[in-house]
Amino acid sequence: FYPPGPYAVEKFQVMPNMTFYDPWENKWIELKDYYLSEDVKALFIVSSAGWCGPCFAEAASLASVYEKYNSDGLEIIYTLGNTNIPGDVPFETSYDKPDSADFAADLKFMENWKLSAGLEAGQPINYPMYADPKREFLPYAPNHAWPFSMLITTKDMGVRLVEEGFWSTLVKNKIEMVLYSEVPNIPFE
């Protein structure tokens, strides 16, 4: 069950249902699992790349954001769509082969990236991190800059904010707005 489209990764549109891979649990998550959630009011979704310096800085800074807002209903879905080599997509060919050398190499890359971001943050990364082996964002935003971040309300899967590059200070204000205020449903009636 998911709200009807049309879907777009644009402000005030309905976010398309996307799937991301959790290599630590060897399972897929879907955005529809958060639709109408009683516990999660908002999703902060990030598409990033391992070679991207601003992505690394944003990943580190999100640890304190998650610590502050998670108990009030914010969930972060942080995705890596590239390793340290542009075009090299983690788990693109290995997500269904957990015993393979490619799977082990991709998992090691993600573990090291997460550990390094935690060192940069001064605390472990406390939010979930996923791979995007299907490159879910490309059909909707083929020329986006990294990191590519969206704030989504789960009551309607409405896109409330889209940021390209390291997010601005306005992101915290937007997070507080959707967590602590009644915002209108999308599509607007």
Side-chain angles (χ1 to χ4, degrees):
F1 181 59
Y2 201 75
Y7 303 112
V9 180
E10 297 172 15
K11 195 170 168 184
F12 304 128
Q13 300 298 315
V14 177
M15 181 73 177
N17 185 32
M18 295 183 177
T19 59
F20 304 107
Y21 181 64
D22 179 342
W24 291 277
E25 299 291 328
N26 193 23
K27 70 177 186 179
W28 292 86
I29 65 148
E30 289 187 71
L31 294 185
K32 76 176 186 175
D33 296 337
Y34 295 97
Y35 178 48
L36 299 176
S37 171
E38 292 183 19
D39 299 323
V40 178
K41 296 177 187 175
L43 298 171
F44 193 72
I45 304 171
V46 181
S47 173
S48 68
W51 47 263
C52 168
C55 297
F56 186 75
E58 182 176 57
S61 67
L62 284 174
S64 64
V65 170
Y66 191 73
E67 187 174 300
K68 181 174 182 177
Y69 297 109
N70 177 252
S71 63
D72 291 334
L74 178 71
E75 186 59 69
I76 294 175
I77 298 177
Y78 198 92
T79 70
L80 279 166
N82 284 135
T83 64
N84 286 334
I85 304 165
D88 182 28
V89 180
F91 302 99
E92 183 176 35
T93 60
S94 64
Y95 66 82
D96 58 348
K97 301 174 187 127
D99 296 327
S100 71
D102 286 344
F103 185 96
D106 288 341
L107 183 60
K108 187 71 168 170
F109 163 75
M110 286 191 66
E111 286 173 342
N112 287 338
W113 204 87
K114 189 174 183 177
L115 178 64
S116 296
L119 291 172
E120 179 73 16
Q123 67 182 70
I125 296 302
N126 50 358
Y127 55 83
M129 188 173 286
Y130 303 94
D132 184 12
K134 296 181 182 178
R135 307 298 302 271
E136 293 275 7
F137 292 99
L138 287 182
Y140 299 97
N143 298 313
H144 71 77
W146 277 291
F148 184 57
S149 307
M150 294 131 289
L151 181 63
I152 314 298
T153 46
T154 59
K155 69 177 187 171
D156 54 9
M157 299 311 284
V159 179
R160 304 300 173 147
L161 176 74
V162 177
E163 288 275 328
E164 292 188 64
F166 189 12
W167 52 275
S168 69
T169 55
L170 291 177
V171 169
K172 287 183 183 178
N173 292 342
K174 294 285 189 180
I175 288 170
E176 290 178 3
M177 181 186 75
V178 300
L179 291 179
Y180 308 128
S181 303
E182 188 60 38
V183 294
N185 283 1
I186 294 176
F188 298 125
E189 296 178 3

